[in-house]
Amino acid sequence: MDVVSLFTCIFAFMLLGYARVSTTDQNPDLQIDALKKAGCKKIYVDKLSGTKSDRPELTKLREHLRDGDTLVVWRLDRLARSLKNLIQWVTELEEQKVAFKSLQEAIDTTTPSGKLIFHIFGALAEFERNLIRERTMAGLTAARARGKLGGRPEKVDQATQKKIRGLYNSKELTVMEICETMGISKPTMYKYLKVD
């Protein structure tokens, strides 16, 4: 057996763990111990809120995952912020041919029952997207029936943008009054204030 084949055999199918605690005051030892007991060879630990999209150790883990590996977490909420986020993760892992395990929920996508659970999650997420789309279309139809146009507002012309800047610089009206007068939102107003 050559060196490359030997290296591939030794390092193929790694179990990689991910642990997260919400603050630096919290201790991830419980998660780390469980991940080691599950056979994880490498464990990545973030100490910050799950609502943060930039998690440095999770990014390193994502870059390290290879075909045949398994991502292991102590609990689903350690990895994903929402069901939608979890489904995105599992879809991405499936595309990379990486398995997923959650120890507390006993989910393992290397098993038929684990795959079934995630197909159910995926179906629920798709159902939710379809409901949102249907409600949006029904809302737009109802608005059109009352004479309102749906969709993104038309772009404000240069003369109106200049008027918005003039009103803002004069300080005669509050931001809300300017927005109401011009029929725009605060973010739109601030966007036009940046343009000169």
Side-chain angles (χ1 to χ4, degrees):
M1 182 179 286
D2 65 356
V3 176
V4 174
S5 300
L6 181 62
F7 182 81
T8 304
C9 287
I10 292 170
F11 292 100
F13 308 114
M14 283 187 80
L15 292 174
L16 300 169
Y18 177 70
R20 182 184 60 75
V21 288
S22 297
T23 66
T24 54
D25 296 338
Q26 293 177 325
N27 191 328
D29 288 348
L30 172 73
Q31 295 176 53
I32 292 169
D33 291 345
L35 292 169
K36 283 181 180 176
K37 188 175 177 185
C40 292
K41 303 296 180 203
K42 175 93 174 124
I43 298 171
Y44 298 81
V45 181
D46 274 317
K47 291 186 177 185
L48 43 82
S49 170
T51 60
K52 303 281 185 194
S53 57
D54 182 32
R55 294 189 256 169
E57 290 300 305
L58 188 57
T59 301
K60 286 180 192 173
L61 167 66
R62 180 180 255 145
E63 291 167 359
H64 195 269
L65 289 169
R66 300 289 178 262
D67 185 342
D69 288 346
T70 300
L71 168 58
V72 185
V73 295
W74 180 64
R75 211 168 65 195
L76 291 174
D77 68 349
R78 302 298 86 196
L79 176 67
R81 300 180 302 275
S82 64
L83 177 60
K84 180 181 176 182
N85 186 235
L86 178 63
I87 298 221
Q88 288 171 338
W89 260 103
V90 173
T91 302
E92 182 180 319
L93 293 173
E94 202 171 43
E95 287 169 0
Q96 291 180 333
K97 296 184 177 139
V98 172
F100 176 73
K101 285 186 184 184
S102 175
L103 302 176
Q104 290 297 302
E105 290 85 2
I107 294 172
D108 181 352
T109 63
T110 63
T111 67
S113 59
K115 285 182 182 174
L116 173 63
I117 288 170
F118 270 97
H119 285 295
I120 291 169
F121 282 174
L124 289 172
E126 185 176 346
F127 177 68
E128 181 187 20
R129 283 192 303 272
N130 288 336
L131 283 178
I132 291 168
R133 189 177 305 120
E134 282 179 16
R135 285 193 298 262
T136 303
M137 294 307 291
L140 286 171
T141 301
R144 286 186 190 117
R146 290 189 309 273
K148 294 185 178 183
L149 296 176
R152 185 174 278 197
E154 288 187 29
K155 189 173 180 179
V156 175
D157 62 30
Q158 292 290 331
T160 306
Q161 289 179 36
K162 190 173 182 178
K163 187 173 181 180
I164 291 168
R165 285 194 293 276
L167 288 170
Y168 181 79
N169 291 333
S170 74
K171 310 246 187 263
E172 292 176 17
L173 299 174
T174 66
V175 169
M176 286 310 297
E177 289 171 335
I178 296 170
C179 291
E180 287 173 16
T181 302
M182 302 307 294
I184 58 172
S185 66
K186 277 175 39 176
T188 301
M189 186 195 80
Y190 286 118
K191 181 177 88 172
Y192 291 130
L193 290 175
K194 290 178 187 174
V195 178
D196 278 320

